[in-house]
Amino acid sequence: NTAGFMNLPGNPESMPLIELSWKENGASAAFDFGSTDASDYRAMIIDIAQDSSNSLNRRLDQRMKIILTDTHGNSQAYLLPRQTAALKWQRGTVNDIPNFQGDVLGHYYSELTPISNIILPFAFFTEIDLHNLCSMTMEMNTFSGCVMLKSIYLVK
């Protein structure tokens, strides 16, 4: 179970997630695409959710900047809006799962935490060569936090 204490809709055991956590403003995670021709695609979609059960989030919404880079070394950044649904803190508490003898079997978050889409239209990225996209960086714009990444993909 890569979801930790998160309470995901459906069957979280069959949903592999990557935890991205940080403890300083400006921390980043980079994803290398080699040399990808994204020119025939309209957007990049990131399936992600804030892990509201993690104390690194300090019960706050998160901020993130997405930076796309091409093989020529050109980069362009897009700061996600403050109210991006996928990065919002979900009100709730971490609760114990007891067995019949009173032992704690595990923990869960009291509220469902849906994985949401961040849609990045390539129309925003006019300063890079989409024929030669090579990486995407997520730069965190808060002092600490934790998100769970499900997938990154392109859509036509």
Side-chain angles (χ1 to χ4, degrees):
N1 178 6
T2 58
F5 300 154
M6 284 179 66
N7 187 1
L8 295 167
N11 183 5
E13 286 79 24
S14 65
M15 188 182 303
L17 301 171
I18 298 171
E19 178 184 300
L20 301 174
S21 59
W22 63 98
K23 294 181 180 178
E24 61 184 52
N25 191 24
S28 63
F31 300 89
D32 186 359
F33 303 139
S35 179
T36 300
D37 184 354
S39 62
D40 287 336
Y41 294 87
R42 290 183 297 125
M44 176 181 289
I45 296 182
I46 303 168
D47 292 334
I48 197 167
Q50 184 190 136
D51 180 359
S52 297
S53 71
N54 192 307
S55 62
L56 286 173
N57 286 310
R58 300 174 293 135
R59 297 177 167 238
L60 300 171
D61 297 345
Q62 294 300 328
R63 293 292 314 270
M64 185 183 296
K65 184 187 303 181
I66 304 297
I67 305 164
L68 297 183
T69 303
D70 64 28
T71 57
H72 310 293
N74 302 312
S75 294
Q76 187 173 355
Y78 178 74
L79 181 62
L80 297 173
R82 285 193 182 275
Q83 296 300 316
T84 300
L87 302 177
K88 292 184 71 62
W89 180 74
Q90 304 290 321
R91 181 177 303 277
T93 57
V94 176
N95 298 316
D96 294 339
I97 302 172
N99 67 9
F100 294 112
Q101 289 82 31
D103 298 325
V104 176
L105 298 175
H107 307 280
Y108 71 98
Y109 199 63
S110 63
E111 298 299 320
L112 288 176
T113 305
I115 301 289
S116 298
N117 302 114
I118 294 174
I119 302 171
L120 299 166
F122 284 138
F124 292 164
F125 296 92
T126 58
E127 299 172 18
I128 60 169
D129 180 3
L130 291 173
H131 292 279
N132 293 290
L133 185 63
C134 71
S135 69
M136 188 267 298
T137 302
M138 296 176 176
E139 182 180 291
M140 312 316 177
N141 291 90
T142 53
F143 292 104
S144 69
C146 180
V147 295
M148 301 300 263
L149 175 65
K150 180 181 175 198
S151 58
I152 302 168
Y153 55 97
L154 305 178
V155 293
K156 290 193 175 196

mmCIF file of all heavy atoms in Angstrom, residues 29-46:
data_model
loop_
_atom_site.group_PDB
_atom_site.id
_atom_site.type_symbol
_atom_site.label_atom_id
_atom_site.label_comp_id
_atom_site.label_asym_id
_atom_site.label_seq_id
_atom_site.Cartn_x
_atom_site.Cartn_y
_atom_site.Cartn_z
ATOM 1 N N ALA A 29 11.260 18.011 -7.829
ATOM 2 C CA ALA A 29 11.354 16.639 -8.335
ATOM 3 C C ALA A 29 11.330 16.742 -9.850
ATOM 4 O O ALA A 29 10.449 17.390 -10.419
ATOM 5 C CB ALA A 29 10.188 15.799 -7.835
ATOM 6 N N ALA A 30 12.323 16.136 -10.510
ATOM 7 C CA ALA A 30 12.431 16.207 -11.969
ATOM 8 C C ALA A 30 12.134 14.846 -12.585
ATOM 9 O O ALA A 30 12.511 13.809 -12.029
ATOM 10 C CB ALA A 30 13.818 16.685 -12.363
ATOM 11 N N PHE A 31 11.476 14.865 -13.728
ATOM 12 C CA PHE A 31 11.122 13.657 -14.465
ATOM 13 C C PHE A 31 11.683 13.790 -15.874
ATOM 14 O O PHE A 31 11.317 14.709 -16.613
ATOM 15 C CB PHE A 31 9.603 13.474 -14.492
ATOM 16 C CG PHE A 31 9.026 13.353 -13.116
ATOM 17 C CD1 PHE A 31 8.637 14.483 -12.408
ATOM 18 C CD2 PHE A 31 8.912 12.116 -12.509
ATOM 19 C CE1 PHE A 31 8.133 14.381 -11.127
ATOM 20 C CE2 PHE A 31 8.401 12.002 -11.221
ATOM 21 C CZ PHE A 31 8.018 13.132 -10.530
ATOM 22 N N ASP A 32 12.579 12.891 -16.251
ATOM 23 C CA ASP A 32 13.262 12.926 -17.545
ATOM 24 C C ASP A 32 12.457 12.127 -18.565
ATOM 25 O O ASP A 32 12.111 10.973 -18.311
ATOM 26 C CB ASP A 32 14.664 12.336 -17.376
ATOM 27 C CG ASP A 32 15.511 12.459 -18.621
ATOM 28 O OD1 ASP A 32 15.029 12.985 -19.647
ATOM 29 O OD2 ASP A 32 16.678 12.027 -18.577
ATOM 30 N N PHE A 33 12.165 12.750 -19.715
ATOM 31 C CA PHE A 33 11.404 12.092 -20.774
ATOM 32 C C PHE A 33 12.285 11.666 -21.940
ATOM 33 O O PHE A 33 11.768 11.253 -22.973
ATOM 34 C CB PHE A 33 10.312 13.021 -21.317
ATOM 35 C CG PHE A 33 9.343 13.530 -20.293
ATOM 36 C CD1 PHE A 33 8.921 14.848 -20.326
ATOM 37 C CD2 PHE A 33 8.846 12.711 -19.304
ATOM 38 C CE1 PHE A 33 8.022 15.331 -19.387
ATOM 39 C CE2 PHE A 33 7.943 13.182 -18.361
ATOM 40 C CZ PHE A 33 7.530 14.493 -18.410
ATOM 41 N N GLY A 34 13.613 11.812 -21.817
ATOM 42 C CA GLY A 34 14.474 11.576 -22.972
ATOM 43 C C GLY A 34 14.252 12.703 -23.960
ATOM 44 O O GLY A 34 14.337 13.868 -23.606
ATOM 45 N N SER A 35 13.926 12.380 -25.192
ATOM 46 C CA SER A 35 13.531 13.380 -26.185
ATOM 47 C C SER A 35 12.171 12.957 -26.720
ATOM 48 O O SER A 35 12.061 11.999 -27.475
ATOM 49 C CB SER A 35 14.553 13.467 -27.319
ATOM 50 O OG SER A 35 14.148 14.420 -28.273
ATOM 51 N N THR A 36 11.131 13.665 -26.301
ATOM 52 C CA THR A 36 9.752 13.311 -26.635
ATOM 53 C C THR A 36 9.147 14.369 -27.535
ATOM 54 O O THR A 36 9.234 15.564 -27.248
ATOM 55 C CB THR A 36 8.911 13.197 -25.345
ATOM 56 O OG1 THR A 36 9.487 12.175 -24.529
ATOM 57 C CG2 THR A 36 7.471 12.872 -25.650
ATOM 58 N N ASP A 37 8.526 13.927 -28.629
ATOM 59 C CA ASP A 37 7.819 14.852 -29.510
ATOM 60 C C ASP A 37 6.394 15.005 -28.982
ATOM 61 O O ASP A 37 5.548 14.134 -29.159
ATOM 62 C CB ASP A 37 7.813 14.342 -30.942
ATOM 63 C CG ASP A 37 7.178 15.324 -31.918
ATOM 64 O OD1 ASP A 37 6.639 16.369 -31.478
ATOM 65 O OD2 ASP A 37 7.219 15.056 -33.131
ATOM 66 N N ALA A 38 6.145 16.121 -28.328
ATOM 67 C CA ALA A 38 4.822 16.391 -27.757
ATOM 68 C C ALA A 38 4.028 17.378 -28.614
ATOM 69 O O ALA A 38 2.973 17.840 -28.198
ATOM 70 C CB ALA A 38 4.977 16.943 -26.342
ATOM 71 N N SER A 39 4.525 17.674 -29.806
ATOM 72 C CA SER A 39 3.901 18.715 -30.640
ATOM 73 C C SER A 39 2.502 18.350 -31.121
ATOM 74 O O SER A 39 1.714 19.245 -31.433
ATOM 75 C CB SER A 39 4.797 19.034 -31.832
ATOM 76 O OG SER A 39 4.970 17.889 -32.648
ATOM 77 N N ASP A 40 2.155 17.074 -31.199
ATOM 78 C CA ASP A 40 0.818 16.656 -31.634
ATOM 79 C C ASP A 40 -0.168 16.546 -30.479
ATOM 80 O O ASP A 40 -1.309 16.142 -30.678
ATOM 81 C CB ASP A 40 0.885 15.307 -32.354
ATOM 82 C CG ASP A 40 1.511 15.427 -33.730
ATOM 83 O OD1 ASP A 40 1.485 16.527 -34.311
ATOM 84 O OD2 ASP A 40 2.035 14.402 -34.222
ATOM 85 N N TYR A 41 0.276 16.890 -29.280
ATOM 86 C CA TYR A 41 -0.573 16.772 -28.093
ATOM 87 C C TYR A 41 -1.039 18.151 -27.629
ATOM 88 O O TYR A 41 -0.360 19.149 -27.843
ATOM 89 C CB TYR A 41 0.178 16.058 -26.966
ATOM 90 C CG TYR A 41 0.483 14.621 -27.304
ATOM 91 C CD1 TYR A 41 1.633 14.285 -28.002
ATOM 92 C CD2 TYR A 41 -0.398 13.615 -26.943
ATOM 93 C CE1 TYR A 41 1.902 12.958 -28.326
ATOM 94 C CE2 TYR A 41 -0.141 12.296 -27.256
ATOM 95 C CZ TYR A 41 1.013 11.981 -27.953
ATOM 96 O OH TYR A 41 1.276 10.684 -28.278
ATOM 97 N N ARG A 42 -2.202 18.195 -26.984
ATOM 98 C CA ARG A 42 -2.764 19.457 -26.501
ATOM 99 C C ARG A 42 -2.329 19.805 -25.088
ATOM 100 O O ARG A 42 -2.285 20.972 -24.723
ATOM 101 C CB ARG A 42 -4.292 19.416 -26.543
ATOM 102 C CG ARG A 42 -4.877 19.426 -27.938
ATOM 103 C CD ARG A 42 -6.401 19.458 -27.931
ATOM 104 N NE ARG A 42 -6.939 18.242 -27.289
ATOM 105 C CZ ARG A 42 -7.786 18.248 -26.268
ATOM 106 N NH1 ARG A 42 -8.234 19.367 -25.770
ATOM 107 N NH2 ARG A 42 -8.209 17.111 -25.741
ATOM 108 N N ALA A 43 -2.045 18.763 -24.277
ATOM 109 C CA ALA A 43 -1.788 19.039 -22.866
ATOM 110 C C ALA A 43 -1.035 17.897 -22.204
ATOM 111 O O ALA A 43 -1.001 16.773 -22.702
ATOM 112 C CB ALA A 43 -3.105 19.268 -22.131
ATOM 113 N N MET A 44 -0.466 18.238 -21.051
ATOM 114 C CA MET A 44 0.101 17.242 -20.147
ATOM 115 C C MET A 44 -0.828 17.184 -18.944
ATOM 116 O O MET A 44 -1.288 18.219 -18.460
ATOM 117 C CB MET A 44 1.502 17.656 -19.701
ATOM 118 C CG MET A 44 2.126 16.716 -18.694
ATOM 119 S SD MET A 44 3.771 17.275 -18.168
ATOM 120 C CE MET A 44 4.700 16.961 -19.666
ATOM 121 N N ILE A 45 -1.098 15.978 -18.476
ATOM 122 C CA ILE A 45 -1.953 15.810 -17.302
ATOM 123 C C ILE A 45 -1.147 15.127 -16.199
ATOM 124 O O ILE A 45 -0.450 14.134 -16.452
ATOM 125 C CB ILE A 45 -3.220 15.001 -17.629
ATOM 126 C CG1 ILE A 45 -4.072 15.793 -18.627
ATOM 127 C CG2 ILE A 45 -4.017 14.703 -16.354
ATOM 128 C CD1 ILE A 45 -5.373 15.147 -19.009
ATOM 129 N N ILE A 46 -1.248 15.681 -15.005
ATOM 130 C CA ILE A 46 -0.598 15.119 -13.831
ATOM 131 C C ILE A 46 -1.703 14.687 -12.877
ATOM 132 O O ILE A 46 -2.519 15.505 -12.451
ATOM 133 C CB ILE A 46 0.310 16.167 -13.153
ATOM 134 C CG1 ILE A 46 1.350 16.681 -14.148
ATOM 135 C CG2 ILE A 46 0.966 15.588 -11.907
ATOM 136 C CD1 ILE A 46 2.094 17.916 -13.669
#
